[in-house]
Amino acid sequence: MIKTAVIAVLVFSAALPARAERLWLVIGASDPSAAALARKTKTLALDTPDSLVVQTSDCGDKKNFYAWVAEAATSPEAAHAALRRVRTAARDAYVKRCDTQPGTLLALRITAVDASIADVPETAVNWQENDRISTVRPLPDGRAIVIARYFAKVKDDPLEGRRERVILAESSDKRRVLEENCPSPGRVAMRHGRVAFHCVREEAADNLIHNVVVFDTTGEKLAEIKRCRNPKWLNELVIECEEESVGPDGQLKLRTIRSSPLPPLPSATSSHQAP
Amino acid sequence: MSVLQASVGVKGKNLEDDVQTVQSLLKSKGYDPGPVDGVCGPDTIAAIRTFQATFLARPDGLIEPGRKTWVRLSSSGGASTTPDLTQWSGDSAKWTQEKKLQSLHPELRPKVVAVLRALEQRGFQPKIYYGWRSVAVQLQLYFQGNSKVKFSFHNAQKPNGTPNSYAADIIDSRFGWSPGAEQSGFWKALGEEAKARNLTWGGDWVSFRDWAHVQLVPNSELARVKQESGL
Ligand SMILES: [Zn+2]
């Protein structure tokens, strides 16, 4: 058991930083509301390819607001040079020192509010504040699952363009999109670096129906199990989930099923499988 | 017309008479504020918020005289102008087929009847599972995580509160949503018959399939329909 843990630490030592990283954020606009901030930043005509929206709770602040950050500099000098540029478009821009909390979107340099959110029509009926904000869920092996929420401009969309992209993030420069659109992604089940979770795919009477998606440790898709929820690993080759069925009475019936065996783990990682 | 002396709810003055007035109005509209006892507890605040969620993006749990929540809550209080909504209460999935048809928008009704007849002629046993369902039921589904939307075309109503659904869910009474519906070709046939009558079919929604669902207007009209419903 101890041996497994030691090897796991070695394997993932290049993962997310465990300690706070000090940054100087060049802030061009801020607002307590994600929706309002998205609209504000749209009017800022600035060419800043590295800009991102930061929630200040990622700096450990108790009171959270959303900040449009033109640049997350690693030194005060770099920040002040950037500040002079930003002030040409945003006169109230300022620099905020930030001790980045580990396991946050900021640590991964992923924006908390996608730029597309600014285009959500004001008349949208079913968009809530939470639909505009991306979130992160740390995994036990040091990596993280990011749910990036965005707006897809699709005509006559039943969800008014609400989308949730699921990203497997290893570090600020190493990430892979697992699902481009996974409404309401469920809890992530993990075994030997392999991950599984469910996404909403259908509606039936008063129930939402899901598919379970399964990925290899590299993020390669291994399987999609139709009409199933709450995946659990039986071992690293077999998944168990609850198959969903809705009859004419509209009642949801669940039945536990097992997936067919997945491909074996690559030999490099199979050496530290649990006995 | 009811009268409110001061604010009720979160950080409100919560005068006993005012709280009682609010509680009985919430009750009359089908919400559950707990007993009408003049005490503004968690149940009353939750009911205020649920009521506000039907027309406010950010319910704050507070009712103030003359403000939007109070205007909505106290309107249609005059019994003489209020239609009898009791006939539209209860679980609308369990209503008779006739009543489900009656709950549809007058332009949707003949189209759904025609779709049902055509499917019968093709050897299926179609029936309406849902016509209208109330906003209160919809919100319950949403907060339980059983729906992705707080307002759907099924919730459309006339401003006086009577059902006027822009959507219907049609199933084969042998299969419901089980795999038999697909294997027998029921979903495909439903899609064909619905679209032949210019209805939108939820089976075409690649990002989020709703096989049983047919709708009078495209999704882009949701905001208009909500507004038309007085919600
Ligand atoms: Zn429907």
Side-chain angles (χ1 to χ4, degrees):
Chain A
M1 194 62 198
I2 291 169
K3 191 179 162 204
T4 313
V6 169
I7 296 169
V9 167
L10 288 176
V11 168
F12 296 107
S13 57
L16 303 176
R19 265 174 307 180
E21 172 194 13
R22 179 156 294 177
L23 292 174
W24 284 264
L25 306 178
V26 183
I27 296 176
S30 62
D31 202 285
S33 142
L37 182 75
R39 281 196 295 273
K40 271 186 195 171
T41 56
K42 207 184 171 186
T43 60
L44 288 175
L46 265 171
D47 183 25
T48 46
D50 295 330
S51 70
L52 73 165
V53 174
V54 171
Q55 42 197 353
T56 53
S57 56
D58 286 3
C59 304
D61 292 8
K62 285 216 173 65
K63 197 166 185 293
N64 185 53
F65 62 88
Y66 295 90
W68 179 79
V69 171
E71 195 169 316
T74 49
S75 74
E77 295 75 22
H80 282 97
L83 181 63
R84 279 192 292 277
R85 289 197 303 277
V86 174
R87 278 203 170 141
T88 59
R91 276 200 304 157
D92 300 334
Y94 65 98
V95 173
K96 173 183 168 66
R97 200 181 74 180
C98 170
D99 288 326
T100 310
Q101 301 299 296
T104 58
L105 288 170
L106 177 57
L108 290 163
R109 302 292 192 279
I110 292 179
T111 188
V113 181
D114 192 88
S116 64
I117 295 297
D119 298 323
V120 176
E122 300 234 14
T123 53
V125 169
N126 286 307
W127 275 83
Q128 307 297 313
E129 178 81 343
N130 283 346
D131 298 319
R132 295 173 162 92
I133 304 163
S134 298
T135 48
V136 60
R137 303 177 191 170
L139 291 174
D141 65 5
R143 298 184 295 172
I145 291 285
V146 173
I147 319 292
R149 299 193 170 84
Y150 65 103
F151 169 63
K153 201 170 182 173
V154 178
K155 200 178 177 319
D156 290 322
D157 186 71
L159 298 176
E160 297 176 296
R162 270 182 295 160
R163 295 288 184 271
E164 292 173 87
R165 183 183 291 126
V166 180
I167 301 166
L168 179 64
E170 222 158 289
S171 60
S172 56
D173 55 3
K174 199 168 175 201
R175 50 182 97 134
R176 180 161 178 171
V177 174
L178 301 182
E179 281 291 321
E180 193 54 39
N181 181 28
C182 172
S184 308
R187 201 183 64 82
V188 178
M190 192 175 146
R191 178 72 72 96
H192 292 302
R194 289 182 160 178
V195 294
F197 51 90
H198 64 222
C199 309
V200 169
R201 293 287 191 236
E202 295 173 26
E203 184 164 344
D206 293 341
N207 309 285
L208 293 174
I209 304 295
H210 308 78
N211 282 9
V212 165
V213 284
V214 188
F215 297 89
D216 210 345
T217 178
T218 55
E220 194 76 39
K221 196 174 203 172
L222 294 175
E224 177 148 354
I225 308 166
K226 274 194 157 191
R227 302 194 178 118
C228 224
R229 60 169 71 174
N230 300 330
K232 286 190 193 86
W233 290 95
L234 218 58
N235 55 56
E236 67 276 12
L237 303 180
V238 179
I239 290 260
E240 211 173 66
C241 58
E242 297 168 73
E243 188 185 54
E244 304 161 316
S245 171
V246 177
D249 60 356
Q251 297 299 309
L252 172 72
K253 286 193 188 71
L254 297 174
R255 184 176 71 102
T256 303
I257 60 161
R258 284 177 187 182
S259 70
S260 40
L262 301 167
L265 290 162
S267 54
T269 49
S270 59
S271 61
H272 64 269
Q273 281 177 32
Chain B
M1 185 79 185
S2 311
V3 177
L4 197 68
Q5 304 291 334
S7 55
V8 170
V10 176
K11 293 185 185 153
K13 283 224 156 119
N14 293 322
L15 304 175
E16 191 177 338
D17 285 353
D18 285 345
V19 175
Q20 265 184 18
T21 303
V22 164
Q23 286 169 329
S24 48
L25 283 170
L26 283 167
K27 267 218 155 108
S28 74
K29 289 192 184 298
Y31 297 88
D32 181 17
V36 180
D37 57 4
V39 179
C40 189
D43 289 344
T44 303
I45 284 169
I48 294 171
R49 282 189 199 274
T50 310
F51 171 64
Q52 287 178 319
T54 62
F55 57 91
L56 288 182
R58 284 191 217 160
D60 59 5
L62 181 67
I63 305 179
E64 293 169 283
R67 307 286 307 251
K68 196 170 182 178
T69 306
W70 174 247
V71 172
R72 293 250 178 178
L73 188 65
S74 58
S75 69
S76 77
S80 57
T81 56
T82 309
D84 177 17
L85 295 179
T86 53
Q87 59 165 320
W88 299 110
S89 61
D91 182 353
S92 60
K94 298 210 166 79
W95 289 349
T96 62
Q97 290 293 298
E98 188 49 39
K99 196 165 165 187
K100 286 176 183 175
L101 273 173
Q102 283 307 312
S103 75
L104 304 182
H105 186 285
E107 281 172 48
L108 177 60
R109 206 178 298 142
K111 293 188 179 203
V112 166
V113 170
V115 168
L116 294 169
R117 287 217 184 106
L119 289 167
E120 275 165 14
Q121 275 163 16
R122 291 171 71 161
F124 295 106
Q125 296 175 22
K127 66 165 197 178
I128 306 171
Y129 183 83
Y130 260 131
W132 182 78
R133 68 176 171 247
S134 70
V135 179
V137 167
Q138 186 69 35
L139 285 171
Q140 206 177 346
L141 290 173
Y142 177 83
F143 288 115
Q144 284 167 348
N146 288 329
S147 172
K148 288 293 292 172
V149 295
K150 283 171 94 171
F151 180 81
S152 108
F153 284 101
H154 287 284
N155 309 138
Q157 58 186 48
K158 294 179 190 142
N160 67 12
T162 52
N164 194 34
S165 177
Y166 274 70
D169 291 346
I170 298 173
I171 57 168
D172 185 302
S173 56
R174 294 165 295 177
F175 312 121
W177 289 261
S178 68
E182 192 184 344
Q183 287 152 13
S184 65
F186 178 74
W187 293 141
K188 187 167 169 282
L190 172 61
E192 286 164 3
E193 297 300 342
K195 286 188 276 184
R197 288 157 185 88
N198 275 327
L199 296 175
T200 295
W201 177 48
D204 281 334
W205 298 337
V206 193
S207 59
F208 182 53
R209 304 264 189 204
D210 195 349
W211 300 104
H213 182 99
V214 300
Q215 189 175 292
L216 183 62
V217 294
N219 286 318
S220 51
E221 295 202 28
L222 189 64
R224 181 190 64 76
V225 169
K226 186 171 183 238
Q227 200 177 22
E228 181 193 282
S229 302
L231 294 165

